[in-house]
């Protein structure tokens, strides 16, 4: 067999059905990687530093000899790990296919028996070394020309494309995330930006550690790619450009702002009830800290009053203050859109009822398409 060098587009197609080995160091992989890629580092972070320093100070040949010292003792383990990855990836693809509610993107011609894709940072010596070993053993090996750097260039270009987006809008407490989940259950194309960012968007939205900005962008580009070539609208939630500590890529966010917005209009008291029953279950200390994070925008009096209500377990009065603040902020952001009168589609809903409101949303969107 011969190692095949492939372009990023070929790589992405093959990666839908075949395992990807990221042979960069653990630190590089942890910072950001191609979604679903397996980490199989040729060098540890410390070994990479040693080889890299030798390359700069003593030249390529000395660096290669040092690298072989590290590589040689790992060869058997790397082959065995690759065998396990192929078996594991077959199960992953089968599970994805059986549970996938998105439009089908599968194509069996891209599944190649006993094949594996390999990449490093620039498509240089690290991927060449691992590819040589796996090819020698008998795998069908493909390497990415330009490596992870080529993938990152592709990611950034994705955000410059004009996708057919449908934006779900509505004031805080309208149950927009639940609507997206219901749309997905109905086989609609959906991208959940907050899920990708691991944050619910507001000061109260922390869900744990967020990915790096680079990993967030990789995940978003990967989701968009799932719908490439499919004639469908992609539903997503109206967001400010910042989600927690992350930013929606500027070009993509600008595109979002030019697309139709389907505004779920629910009365204030119903949204307040929904918010109170949802966030009232959270840890009180976390809620206080969340209020403190927005105190400059909320104002000293409102901050003090909201925290006071919270300490007294008067969650409804506390969230009433916060909901007024978020409504005001959202209205300002909404009105900053150009040509809002042609983009805005208001959908009157009496309650936060996911099933009913999703049906209304789909009905209105279908009529207006």
């Amino acid at each position: 067999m011969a190692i095949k060098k492939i372009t990023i587009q070929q790589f992405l197609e093959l990666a839908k059905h075949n395992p990807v080995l990221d042979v960069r160091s653990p630190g590089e992989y942890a910072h950001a990687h191609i979604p679903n890629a397996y980490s199989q580092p040729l060098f540890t972070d410390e070994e990479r530093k040693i080889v890299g320093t030798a390359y700069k100070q003593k030249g390529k040949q000395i660096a290669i000899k040092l690298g072989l010292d590290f590589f040689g003792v790992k060869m058997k383990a790397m082959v065995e790990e690759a065998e396990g990855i192929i078996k594991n990836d077959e199960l992953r693809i089968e599970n994805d296919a059986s549970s996938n509610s998105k439009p089908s993107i599968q194509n069996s011609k891209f599944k190649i028996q006993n094949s594996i894709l390999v990449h490093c940072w620039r498509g240089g010596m690290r991927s060449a070394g691992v590819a040589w070993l796996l090819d020698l053993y008998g795998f069908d090996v493909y390497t990415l020309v330009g490596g992870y750097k080529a993938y990152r260039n592709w990611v950034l270009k994705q955000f410059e494309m004009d996708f057919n987006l449908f934006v779900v809008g509505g004031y805080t407490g309208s149950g927009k995330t639940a609507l997206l989940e219901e749309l997905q259950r109905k086989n609609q194309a959906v991208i959940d930006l907050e899920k990708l960012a691991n944050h619910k968007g507001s000061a109260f939205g922390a869900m744990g550690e967020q990915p790096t900005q680079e990993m967030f962008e990789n995940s978003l580009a990967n989701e968009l790619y799932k719908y490439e070539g499919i004639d469908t609208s992609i539903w997503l939630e109206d967001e400010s450009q910042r989600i927690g500590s992350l930013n929606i890529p500027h070009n993509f966010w600008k595109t979002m702002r030019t697309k139709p917005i389907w505004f779920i209009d629910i009365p204030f008291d119903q949204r307040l009830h929904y918010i109170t029953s949802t966030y009232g279950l959270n840890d009180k200390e976390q809620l206080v800290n969340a209020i403190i994070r927005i105190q400059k925008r909320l104002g000293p009096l409102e901050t003090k009053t909201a925290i006071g209500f919270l300490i007294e377990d008067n969650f409804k009065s506390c969230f009433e203050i916060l909901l007024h603040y978020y409504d005001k902020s959202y209205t300002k952001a909404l009105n900053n859109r150009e040509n809002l009168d042609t983009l805005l589609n208001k959908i009157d809903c009496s309650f936060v009822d996911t099933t009913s409101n999703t049906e209304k949303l789909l009905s209105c969107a279908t009529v207006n398409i």
Side-chain angles (χ1 to χ4, degrees), residues 277-296:
S277 61
T278 302
Y279 288 101
L281 302 174
N282 288 11
D283 180 82
K284 192 182 293 186
E285 184 178 349
Q286 290 181 342
L287 292 173
V288 170
N289 291 334
I291 293 171
I292 291 172
R293 283 198 291 272
I294 59 171
Q295 62 181 327
K296 288 184 179 179

Side-chain angles (χ1 to χ4, degrees), residues 162-182:
D162 186 22
F163 293 96
N164 185 21
L165 306 177
F166 273 11
V167 181
V168 180
Y171 292 119
T172 300
S174 298
K176 297 187 291 293
T177 299
L179 283 177
L180 290 182
E181 292 171 352
E182 183 66 15

Side-chain angles (χ1 to χ4, degrees), residues 71-272:
F71 184 28
V73 296
K74 301 175 184 177
M75 286 184 175
K76 180 181 177 182
M78 292 188 81
V79 167
E80 291 176 342
E81 186 175 354
E83 287 179 316
I85 284 172
I86 285 178
K87 291 179 182 178
N88 181 69
D89 203 67
E90 288 174 351
L91 292 174
R92 177 187 66 82
I93 291 170
E94 287 176 9
N95 291 334
D96 285 350
S98 62
S99 63
N100 190 16
S101 61
K102 300 179 178 68
S104 176
I105 58 170
Q106 303 299 321
N107 190 329
S108 60
K109 73 177 181 178
F110 291 111
K111 177 62 184 172
I112 303 170
Q113 190 66 30
N114 210 36
S115 66
I116 203 155
L117 283 64
V118 179
H119 79 85
C120 60
W121 166 234
R122 290 183 181 174
M125 288 188 291
R126 285 187 287 179
S127 59
V130 175
W132 165 81
L133 172 65
L134 299 180
D135 174 68
L136 181 66
Y137 185 72
F139 291 106
D140 195 6
V141 184
Y142 298 79
T143 59
L144 174 59
V145 174
Y148 178 75
K149 188 176 181 180
Y151 172 76
R152 279 295 297 169
N153 289 335
W154 172 84
V155 165
L156 298 177
K157 288 178 182 177
Q158 287 290 101
F159 305 136
E160 297 174 1
M161 297 172 63
D162 186 22
F163 293 96
N164 185 21
L165 306 177
F166 273 11
V167 181
V168 180
Y171 292 119
T172 300
S174 298
K176 297 187 291 293
T177 299
L179 283 177
L180 290 182
E181 292 171 352
E182 183 66 15
L183 286 168
Q184 198 162 30
R185 280 191 287 270
K186 291 181 177 295
N187 294 324
Q188 296 291 309
V190 173
I191 294 179
D192 189 339
L193 293 169
E194 293 182 355
K195 184 177 181 180
L196 295 179
N198 200 37
H199 197 283
K200 293 183 181 178
S202 70
F204 303 88
M207 299 165 63
E209 186 177 355
Q210 291 190 264
T212 62
Q213 178 68 33
E214 189 172 310
M215 191 63 217
F216 173 62
E217 292 169 0
N218 290 355
S219 298
L220 176 55
N222 186 62
E223 289 298 304
L224 290 167
Y225 182 62
K226 291 178 181 179
Y227 303 110
E228 186 174 290
I230 298 174
D231 185 19
T232 186
S233 299
I234 303 173
W235 294 92
L236 41 72
E237 184 176 339
D238 191 22
E239 302 280 359
S240 62
Q241 189 170 2
R242 196 166 182 83
I243 306 178
S245 63
L246 302 174
N247 288 315
I248 298 172
H250 186 65
N251 287 329
F252 183 71
W253 187 71
K254 283 199 304 183
T255 300
M256 287 175 59
R257 303 283 288 179
T258 65
K259 300 300 181 178
I261 178 166
W262 306 91
F263 187 93
I264 307 299
D265 198 5
I266 300 175
F268 182 92
D269 62 323
Q270 293 299 318
R271 293 185 289 110
L272 177 59

Side-chain angles (χ1 to χ4, degrees), residues 302-328:
E302 297 286 57
T303 299
K304 181 179 179 181
T305 304
I307 292 176
F309 282 135
L310 197 57
I311 292 172
E312 296 169 0
D313 290 333
N314 188 346
F315 291 96
K316 183 177 180 180
S317 295
C318 171
F319 289 138
E320 185 173 3
I321 292 172
L322 299 174
L323 204 56
H324 278 300
Y325 159 74
Y326 278 113
D327 282 4
K328 183 178 179 181

